[in-house]
């Protein structure tokens, strides 16, 4: 591994930024897991439990509008406020102790989703100002590694807390991590200029979306990323079917496959910066998409070792397009509209994933998973080829 990656941690702003990502990411992962279990335990309803995910994802549809909020204020103070407000709101969940108070949980989850959209956009915009542009690929990769790394630990912590103390204990943990993240963001040393009251900074919500669409650098990466996340959503929805019908294993075995995928994503996060210094962004993204697509097709093999290796390969390949796309957005976007552009990019990348999760749940009831998986891999390979053919490969080198 390139030793330059480790130098990032010696840079004050980068190290603090990643520490804040670790703190809030740990609590958020724990809360996202427990929300559905909590609702199910209180109401006995599978439908209401499934709606917790919808409440968290729905605000993504308003991403460009929420991103404009980011462009109208200083990003560091905004992150401090958002993290502090979320810490306070989560404490309201201490009141949720029966089925007739589940509405309060859904209200907090919806606010959580809104705060998450603002948080992601502000983080991306702040990062572009906090570190040198040559380090963006490294920090974005390490951010991915941190986010995926906590997924290997946070779910176990959340499950243990919920089993022993109930959902309120996880809410307190999440509130504490948000408060810690707010304190860390306060320590960042960044000189930010106040947003202008005219020009692009005060322009319409669609500024970011238009910039993404008209940029010859960003458009191919975002289109490829949206297509890849659509396929990733379908792949995720087929997980239980793979474990049951292909491997003949109990549902709990899916946890092993998720762990392998998370480990693969951690590795990609660690090597993304060095690779982006040697490869154009579209080449890096297309290589990851091709690896992801081949691994999806090979999930039809009825062998446990093959399933684990394919899950690790999915984890290795999938983050490449996300890291390449968001790094390009940070480097190619004027600072005054970076908030709404980053939010629009997040919407474009992750809404297809949410839609595909629902679509995949229907498809698996109609089509054999051993047919669906190879069919899914074909569009991924085609998308990777198109990205190489149409992407301005020389324009996104880190």
């Amino acid at each position: 591994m390139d030793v330059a990656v480790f130098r990032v941690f010696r840079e004050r702003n980068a190290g603090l930024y990643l520490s804040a990502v670790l703190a809030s990411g740990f609590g958020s992962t724990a809360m996202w897991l427990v929300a559905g279990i909590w609702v199910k335990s209180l109401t006995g309803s599978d439908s209401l439990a499934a709606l917790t995910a919808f409440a968290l994802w729905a605000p993504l549809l308003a991403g460009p509008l929420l991103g404009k909020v980011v462009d109208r204020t200083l990003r560091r103070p905004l992150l401090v406020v958002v993290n502090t407000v979320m810490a306070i709101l989560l404490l309201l969940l201490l009141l949720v102790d029966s089925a007739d108070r589940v509405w309060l949980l859904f209200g907090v989850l919806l606010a959580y989703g809104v705060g998450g959209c603002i948080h992601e956009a502000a983080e991306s915009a702040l990062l572009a100002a906090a570190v040198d542009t040559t380090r963006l690929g490294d920090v974005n990769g390490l951010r991915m590694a941190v986010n995926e790394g906590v997924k290997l630990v946070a779910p176990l912590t959340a499950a243990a807390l919920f089993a022993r103390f109930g959902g309120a204990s996880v809410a307190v943990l999440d509130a504490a991590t948000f408060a810690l993240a707010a304190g860390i963001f306060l320590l960042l040393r960044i000189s930010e200029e106040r947003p202008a009251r005219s020009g692009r900074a005060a322009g319409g919500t669609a500024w970011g979306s238009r910039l993404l669409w008209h940029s010859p650098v960003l458009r191919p990466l975002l289109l490829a990323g949206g297509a890849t996340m659509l396929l990733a959503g379908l792949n995720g929805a087929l997980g239980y079917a793979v474990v049951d019908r292909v491997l003949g294993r109990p549902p709990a075995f899916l946890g092993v496959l998720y762990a392998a995928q998370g480990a693969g994503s951690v590795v990609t996060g660690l090597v993304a910066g060095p690779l982006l210094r040697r490869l154009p962004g579209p080449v890096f993204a297309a290589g990851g998409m091709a690896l992801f697509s081949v691994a999806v097709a090979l999930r039809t093999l009825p062998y446990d070792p093959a399933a684990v290796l394919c899950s690790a390969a999915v984890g290795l390949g999938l983050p490449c397009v996300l890291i390449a796309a968001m790094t390009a957005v940070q480097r190619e976007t004027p600072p005054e509209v970076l908030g709404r552009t980053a939010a629009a990019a997040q919407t474009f990348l992750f809404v297809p994933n949410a839609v595909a999760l629902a679509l995949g749940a229907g498809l698996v009831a109609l089509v054999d998973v051993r047919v669906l998986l190879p069919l899914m891999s074909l569009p991924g390979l085609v998308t990777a080829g198109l990205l190489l053919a149409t992407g301005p490969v020389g324009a996104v080198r880190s």
Side-chain angles (χ1 to χ4, degrees):
M1 187 186 302
D2 192 329
V3 295
V5 173
F6 296 105
R7 296 194 189 112
V8 170
F9 291 102
R10 295 206 298 265
E11 297 179 11
R12 175 185 170 84
N13 281 343
L16 287 171
Y17 174 87
L18 291 170
S19 298
V21 169
L22 173 62
S24 62
F26 188 93
S28 295
T29 301
M31 194 65 214
W32 279 53
L33 170 73
V34 160
I37 302 173
W38 196 355
V39 169
K40 170 70 174 177
S41 68
L42 289 174
T43 67
S45 171
D46 290 328
S47 298
L48 285 176
L51 278 177
T52 59
F54 177 77
L56 290 163
W57 279 102
L60 270 176
L61 297 172
L65 180 62
L66 295 173
K68 188 174 181 180
V69 174
V70 176
D71 288 332
R72 290 294 183 90
T73 187
L74 298 176
R75 281 74 183 259
R76 186 178 70 98
L78 177 62
L79 281 167
V80 173
V81 169
V82 169
N83 279 279
T84 302
V85 169
M86 287 310 306
I88 295 170
L89 281 178
L90 281 162
L91 295 179
L92 293 176
L93 297 184
L94 295 175
L95 302 175
V96 179
D97 56 3
S98 61
D100 59 355
R101 289 188 175 178
V102 163
W103 65 269
L104 181 58
L105 175 56
F106 277 101
V108 171
L109 290 178
L110 191 60
Y112 204 114
V114 172
C117 286
I118 295 174
H119 198 283
E120 287 288 324
E123 268 192 8
S124 294
L126 185 72
L127 177 59
V131 302
D132 189 89
T133 56
T134 61
R135 290 285 187 224
L136 284 175
D138 290 300
V139 181
N140 280 321
L142 289 171
R143 182 187 183 200
M144 178 69 70
V146 166
N147 281 327
E148 293 300 321
V150 299
K151 292 177 184 177
L152 302 178
V153 181
L156 296 175
T157 304
L161 282 174
F162 184 84
R164 181 68 179 85
F165 302 108
S169 63
V170 181
V172 171
L173 169 66
D174 198 8
T177 60
F178 272 117
L180 177 59
I184 294 172
F185 281 122
L186 269 175
L187 297 176
L188 284 170
R189 295 173 181 170
I190 296 176
S191 177
E192 293 186 88
E193 294 184 3
R194 290 200 169 275
R197 296 179 179 272
S198 59
R200 287 181 296 196
T205 302
W207 247 105
S209 300
R210 285 202 300 268
L211 190 150
L212 292 174
W213 185 251
H214 292 296
S215 169
V217 173
L218 300 179
R219 185 175 64 249
L221 281 168
L222 268 295
L223 288 173
T228 303
M229 292 309 295
L230 179 70
L231 296 174
L234 291 173
N235 179 62
L238 302 181
Y240 285 108
V242 169
V243 169
D244 179 24
R245 302 177 198 175
V246 177
L247 301 175
R249 286 285 206 156
F253 190 70
L254 188 61
V256 176
L257 302 185
Y258 278 150
Q261 181 174 331
S265 295
V266 170
V267 172
T268 291
L270 293 174
V271 302
L275 287 176
L276 279 171
R277 282 194 292 275
R278 292 167 172 79
L279 297 171
V283 174
F284 176 68
M289 292 167 60
L291 177 60
F292 164 77
S293 301
V294 171
V296 166
L298 292 178
R299 293 187 79 194
T300 55
L301 295 174
Y303 310 108
D304 290 356
V308 172
L309 286 174
C310 286
S311 293
V314 166
L316 283 167
L318 185 58
C320 294
V321 66
L322 301 178
I323 295 171
M326 291 312 298
T327 300
V329 167
Q330 291 163 340
R331 294 178 64 241
E332 298 289 330
T333 305
E336 63 269 22
V337 292
L338 184 49
R340 73 197 81 170
T341 305
Q346 294 283 346
T347 298
F348 198 88
L349 287 170
F350 292 108
V351 166
N353 184 265
V355 172
L357 286 169
L359 180 61
L363 281 175
V364 74
L366 302 174
V367 185
D368 192 306
V369 67
R370 285 159 291 210
V371 175
L372 279 174
L373 289 169
L375 287 178
M376 284 168 45
S377 71
L378 294 177
L381 291 171
V382 170
T383 302
L386 289 173
L387 181 57
L388 286 176
T390 60
V393 297
V396 200
R397 188 182 299 276
S398 291

